[in-house]
Amino acid sequence: MDRLDKKALVKYLCALLLFGSNGVVASRIAMGSHEIVFLRTLIGSVFLIAVFLLGKGTFHIREYKRDALFIVLSGAAMGLSWLFVFEAYRLIGVGFSTLLYYCGPVIVMILSPVIFRERLTKPKVVGFVIVLVGLVLVNGKLVGTGNVWGLFCGAMSAVMLFLLITFNKQSTHIVGMENSVIQLTASFLTVAVFVWAKQGFALDVPSGSWLWVLMLGLVNTGLGCYLYFSALSKLPVQTVAVCGYLEPLSAVVFSAVLLGERMTPLQVVGAVCIIGGAMIGELVKERAKRP
């Protein structure tokens, strides 16, 4: 059995914690959610392109045009998912929005028989039911507040994350850092079109927000993606899957500790159901029947 690459694991965990703090950093920026996402994708994509080229990476778009098309579509879905989730951060809070956002992989899991011709196992069904229970517990109180638009944005962020994953899985040749560079650049272009149509590119960044903008773009996005993708190929799939849930868990903890967001006991149970149900569906294997 191969020894676990500890350096790669540390990189991966740091990337997940950076991603988990996105909502906290964004809360410090006094700008519209779409403007924040625009600057995030712009700075992050420039950073990744620079790292990729300095590392003498080469693009294979011409050789694998089909893969490139699906990555571009995945990037467009990522841009839209961030537009929705950052708006949800503002309206219903970072913790709740993150839990809704991470229902995207659960949608992939339950629709995998149709999309990827994968068998729907009992653990996946059980996990999906547990996630649904968690969603009811977490969002029951929010529905009562009448913030329907915030809930809609959170739900749509999950749908876009589902499309992001589905499109990206179609790429079998363009992977790793090259995949990330193309995807993030496509994400920026998608968000740029939205911002241009909404208000043009005249952005007014308050002086007190610049540090947080740069942190979100360079550190959370650029550095985070670099750490994530440079570690991914060096870790076992099981380790990646198990540790991956540190991201939504850390986002909920950060929002409670740093932003003062509070959950009722039922909502805490719901959060555990969402994360736990997703883990059950993805990690628990169905035992083969004995002949």
Side-chain angles (χ1 to χ4, degrees):
M1 183 176 178
D2 296 335
R3 294 182 62 184
L4 185 66
D5 189 327
K6 293 182 179 179
K7 185 177 179 180
L9 180 60
V10 170
K11 282 184 175 182
Y12 183 60
L13 295 177
C14 287
L16 295 174
L17 290 173
L18 284 174
F19 295 153
S21 67
N22 282 337
V24 174
V25 177
S27 70
R28 310 296 184 188
I29 303 173
M31 299 177 69
S33 57
H34 59 284
E35 296 174 318
I36 294 173
V37 176
F38 172 79
L39 292 173
R40 177 192 185 186
T41 52
L42 170 61
I43 297 170
S45 57
V46 169
F47 178 91
L48 272 193
I49 290 171
V51 170
F52 185 71
L53 295 178
L54 288 173
K56 298 183 179 179
T58 55
F59 289 101
H60 301 87
I61 297 175
R62 290 184 178 179
E63 297 95 317
Y64 305 111
K65 294 179 180 178
R66 179 182 179 277
D67 283 32
L69 173 61
F70 277 112
I71 295 172
V72 168
L73 291 174
S74 178
M78 182 166 74
L80 293 173
S81 73
W82 286 354
L83 285 171
F84 279 118
V85 78
F86 273 69
E87 180 68 3
Y89 286 161
R90 186 179 67 83
L91 296 172
I92 60 176
V94 174
F96 297 122
S97 302
T98 301
L99 290 172
L100 286 173
Y101 179 66
Y102 275 92
C103 288
V106 179
I107 301 174
V108 174
M109 177 181 71
I110 204 66
L111 293 181
S112 58
V114 177
I115 302 171
F116 304 114
R117 306 301 182 200
E118 296 177 358
R119 191 168 65 91
L120 188 61
T121 63
K122 288 181 181 178
K124 287 185 177 182
V125 174
V126 171
F128 181 66
V129 171
I130 293 174
V131 169
L132 287 180
V133 172
L135 284 172
V136 172
L137 294 176
V138 164
N139 296 304
K141 185 179 178 181
L142 292 176
V143 173
T145 65
N147 203 330
V148 178
W149 177 245
L151 289 172
F152 174 79
C153 287
M156 285 303 298
S157 72
V159 172
M160 290 300 122
L161 181 57
F162 155 70
L163 292 176
L164 183 164
I165 296 169
T166 302
F167 286 136
N168 204 276
K169 277 179 173 286
Q170 305 303 314
S171 175
T172 55
H173 299 95
I174 301 178
V175 295
M177 185 63 73
E178 181 186 359
N179 184 305
S180 182
V181 169
I182 298 171
Q183 182 169 273
L184 190 55
T185 303
S187 175
F188 160 67
L189 294 174
T190 302
V191 175
V193 170
F194 176 85
V195 172
W196 174 78
K198 184 177 178 63
Q199 66 181 56
F201 295 127
L203 303 182
D204 182 19
V205 183
S207 57
S209 295
W210 266 115
L211 176 63
W212 298 105
V213 168
L214 292 174
M215 182 175 177
L216 185 64
L218 290 174
V219 181
N220 286 56
T221 306
L223 179 61
C225 287
Y226 168 73
L227 292 173
Y228 183 89
F229 284 100
S230 63
L232 208 59
S233 61
K234 300 177 182 178
L235 294 172
V237 174
Q238 194 80 352
T239 300
V240 170
V242 172
C243 295
Y245 290 95
L246 176 64
E247 184 179 341
L249 180 61
S250 64
V252 172
V253 173
F254 289 153
S255 66
V257 175
L258 301 177
L259 300 179
E261 294 182 4
R262 293 290 177 260
M263 289 186 174
T264 65
L266 277 179
Q267 287 174 324
V268 171
V269 173
V272 172
C273 285
I274 291 173
I275 296 175
M279 291 184 71
I280 289 172
E282 185 172 344
L283 304 176
V284 177
K285 304 300 181 184
E286 188 174 42
R287 292 182 180 179
K289 293 182 180 180
R290 292 183 179 179

